[in-house]
Amino acid sequence: MQVCRTISQLQRALAALPRPLGFVPTMGYLHEGHLSLVRQARAENASVAVSIFVNPTQFGPQEDLARYPRDLARDRKLLAEAAVDLLFAPEAEEMYPPGFATWVEVKGLSEHLEGAFRPGHFRGVATVVTKLLNLFRPERAYFGEKDAQQLAIVRRLAADLNLGCTIVGLPTVREADGLALSSRNVYLSPEERQRAPLLYRSLKAGYDLWRQGERRTARIIDEVRRTLQAESKAFRVDYIALVDEETFQEMEFVERPARLLIAARLGRTRLIDNLPLK
Ligand code: AMP
């Protein structure tokens, strides 16, 4: 596996890679969720490239940029074992040199839910993903449904900016107890880690109600909230929402493919999760 730290190294390495190229952007501290994307990319392409970049522009001033977990040596080993051809791990100055002034904003999709609780987050995500897709020019790029709103935004920007790349979305990988894998799970204390799967169980209660035929959004959301609150007062909910899978607009009745989403804080850790209703 070639490791590139600069854009000029990256461009030389990319020129030598057989096509089609599958690309997996990450912030590192890799887990099975990331590796599921890498494996799918490996199965569908002649070459696989991964980026590890803790993108400062998608973190708010009060957020966890400084303490975000990092372990490049371990990540390199995991990616080499997964037969990745190229790893790009730039410094922030390489991606945002002095004078950097161009931003990508996806209107409509970026303003509510995660966007409302993390102002500027999706502007940072959309900008860095556009830069990375421009640099790599992959035939396919792989993203997790774990970050479902991000996935919808990336699909929109790839279409709107004619990036000529197929965006592949893959299901959330979970621990045996239902907790969605996340690099941020290391922040959880042992007690919080025990409680954390309740987020998934609450979503599942809403999902089960929908499976039984309930189509009223308010009822389904209520079921999620009641399940969460009945079992624990430890969570502070940012939002529970049920939205159209594509537009992320809220709906009164579930009549189209939809997604049930939750964001909540447990101690100092903010967790998000979602389930498709389809
Ligand atoms: P991150 O390193 O958190 O920015 O995530 C990089 C990519 O991995 C994104 O497309 C995420 O949606 C995806 N991802 C993160 N966690 C999971 C998971 N538990 N299952 C599947 N994909 C995931």
Side-chain angles (χ1 to χ4, degrees), residues 233-238 263-268:
K233 301 276 175 274
F235 290 88
R236 280 166 301 149
V237 173
D238 279 351
R265 281 160 297 142
L266 186 54
R268 287 175 72 201

Side-chain angles (χ1 to χ4, degrees), residues 3-161:
V3 181
C4 302
R5 306 303 302 251
T6 66
I7 287 169
S8 61
Q9 284 171 357
L10 172 68
Q11 284 168 332
R12 259 176 281 132
L14 280 172
L17 283 186
R19 294 278 170 160
L21 172 67
F23 172 52
V24 184
T26 81
M27 299 207 299
Y29 211 71
L30 302 177
H31 52 63
E32 274 300 311
H34 299 115
L35 295 176
S36 73
L37 306 182
V38 170
R39 281 188 212 108
Q40 188 73 18
R42 187 68 278 171
E44 293 180 346
N45 300 279
S47 305
V48 177
V50 174
S51 64
I52 293 182
F53 181 57
V54 182
N55 174 36
T57 66
Q58 70 188 66
F59 288 78
Q62 309 301 326
E63 292 184 1
D64 56 344
L65 174 62
R67 68 180 184 122
Y68 194 85
R70 294 162 168 90
D71 189 345
L72 189 58
R74 179 173 164 276
D75 289 349
R76 276 175 77 147
K77 189 163 170 284
L78 288 171
L79 294 175
E81 284 166 7
V84 167
D85 300 288
L86 191 165
L87 167 63
F88 179 50
E91 296 294 338
E93 300 72 42
E94 188 70 10
M95 294 298 280
Y96 300 105
F100 184 89
T102 304
W103 299 95
V104 179
E105 270 186 279
V106 181
K107 294 284 181 198
L109 277 168
S110 298
E111 285 115 35
H112 63 328
L113 302 173
E114 281 304 284
F117 285 90
R118 304 185 66 187
H121 170 65
F122 285 128
R123 186 177 88 141
V125 169
T127 301
V128 82
V129 169
T130 302
K131 282 171 67 72
L132 290 168
L133 293 179
N134 245 332
L135 283 167
F136 283 82
R137 306 278 167 117
E139 275 73 16
R140 300 183 188 87
Y142 297 80
F143 294 84
E145 290 180 7
K146 161 79 185 353
D147 301 283
Q149 193 174 4
Q150 166 176 288
L151 174 58
I153 286 169
V154 169
R155 285 193 196 285
R156 186 76 257 159
L157 79 83
D160 289 354
L161 300 178

